[in-house]
């Protein structure tokens, strides 16, 4: 995987130092987004060794946050959720694509965590990102509807009550903000 394509170029040196510690891992094909004019290719799933990844999330500064971002794409849903919770404690604009993508998750616990945090989390960076990626936002919303229909419709008979719908509504509201 070309992890360097998943982050802004300004983080290349930090990422280059992190990757040997993180070790090799394979990844599913990426999804393409733009952030502040820069094209990014973010993996849909990663398969890093769990213990190495967790150790890397504890590294200081941007290296640990980069590892958290990659952890939000990990194949283990429990690890994705743990990394997401920690990532929400960060306010770096470059983490936004990794957080937003989790709104289209099929793991309800992750969607609930992200949806609850969105209204108070990094609003300016979210607004810029969402306005720069309207087609991607529409894809996430279709994905949320699909997961609701397939897995959660019995538990949440009305789409309006589904946590994924609430997360998508929060994103739509944020997309209307005018960033400073």
């Amino acid at each position: 995987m070309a992890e360097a394509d998943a982050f802004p170029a300004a983080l290349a040196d930090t990422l280059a130092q992190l990757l040997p510690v993180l070790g090799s891992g394979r990844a599913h094909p990426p999804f393409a987004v733009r952030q502040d004019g820069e094209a990014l290719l973010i993996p849909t799933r990663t398969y890093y060794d769990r213990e190495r990844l967790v150790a890397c999330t504890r590294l200081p500064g941007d290296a640990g946050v980069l590892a958290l971002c990659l952890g939000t794409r990990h194949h283990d849903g429990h690890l994705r959720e743990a990394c997401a919770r920690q990532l929400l404690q960060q306010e770096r604009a470059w983490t936004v694509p990794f957080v937003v993508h989790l709104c289209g998750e099929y793991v309800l616990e992750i969607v609930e965590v992200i949806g609850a945090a969105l209204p108070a989390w990094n609003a300016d960076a979210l607004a810029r990102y969402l306005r720069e990626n309207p087609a991607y936002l529409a894809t996430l919303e279709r994905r949320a509807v699909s997961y609701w229909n397939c897995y959660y419709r019995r538990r949440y008979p009305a789409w309006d009550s589904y946590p994924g719908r609430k997360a998508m509504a929060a994103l739509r509201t944020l997309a209307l903000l005018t960033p400073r």
Side-chain angles (χ1 to χ4, degrees), residues 49-126:
D49 176 77
R50 180 184 175 82
E51 286 74 30
R52 284 184 120 175
L53 179 60
V54 169
C56 287
T57 66
R58 296 184 186 119
L59 293 171
D62 287 344
V65 181
L66 286 166
L68 286 172
C69 288
L70 292 171
T72 67
R73 309 309 324 129
H74 198 268
H75 65 93
D76 178 334
H78 295 287
L79 184 54
R80 279 198 311 280
E81 181 181 353
C83 289
R85 286 180 183 279
Q86 293 175 62
L87 195 56
L88 288 168
Q89 297 172 17
Q90 307 296 321
E91 290 273 332
R92 292 165 171 88
W94 50 267
T95 64
V96 168
F98 294 89
V99 171
V100 169
H101 193 72
L102 293 169
C103 292
E105 267 283 337
Y106 63 89
V107 179
L108 190 59
E109 293 81 1
I110 296 173
V111 174
E112 290 171 332
V113 166
I114 301 300
L118 281 176
W121 187 77
N122 216 349
D124 288 340
L126 279 164

Side-chain angles (χ1 to χ4, degrees), residues 140-152 159 162:
L140 281 183
E141 193 158 25
R142 286 189 301 273
R143 189 174 294 142
V145 170
S146 179
Y147 287 137
W148 164 72
N149 188 46
C150 187
Y151 299 114
Y152 298 108
W159 164 244
Y162 177 59

